[in-house]
Amino acid sequence: MLTPERKAAVDALSDDELAYEIQRGRASRFQRELYDYAVVQLEQRQQAKADAAQQDTLQVAQEGLSASKSQARHTLIAWVVAAVLGAVTLYLTFKSK
């Protein structure tokens, strides 16, 4: 039976220490249910890190997309302004002749 104290001993370990204990297998200080608990804990920690990394990647991608949209908008405005100025210049050039 897993007591809260035994679980706390596993929870207190770093990821590296936990991986080392799991790697030791039968020689690990954790046996039976506690060993299984250690394996699950390490997997959950690794999954949590992977999820956090994926969230960071998604956030960076969203920020990049937002910046691209903003840049595209500015580029379009610049082209419109250039076209209008060109048209005005042509109009004034031919009007003065």
Side-chain angles (χ1 to χ4, degrees):
M1 173 134 203
L2 291 177
T3 63
E5 293 83 18
R6 294 180 79 193
K7 286 182 178 181
V10 171
D11 295 339
L13 295 178
S14 70
D15 290 353
D16 292 336
E17 292 170 322
L18 201 50
Y20 174 73
E21 286 296 331
I22 291 168
Q23 231 176 11
R24 291 181 65 199
R26 290 181 179 222
S28 172
R29 60 184 162 154
F30 304 127
Q31 296 298 315
R32 297 181 193 89
E33 298 96 7
L34 193 56
Y35 180 84
D36 294 338
Y37 178 76
V39 170
V40 170
Q41 283 301 104
L42 183 59
E43 288 173 356
Q44 287 178 345
R45 290 179 188 182
Q46 290 171 339
Q47 186 61 47
K49 285 182 182 179
D51 290 346
Q54 185 177 18
Q55 283 294 346
D56 290 344
T57 302
L58 288 173
Q59 183 176 354
V60 168
Q62 287 173 342
E63 289 171 0
L65 181 59
S66 177
S68 294
K69 285 181 180 179
S70 177
Q71 184 63 33
R73 226 176 285 125
H74 288 14
T75 302
L76 177 63
I77 291 170
W79 277 103
V80 169
V81 169
V84 168
L85 288 177
V88 169
T89 303
L90 282 173
Y91 173 76
L92 292 176
T93 301
F94 288 112
K95 183 181 174 187
S96 64
K97 290 185 180 183

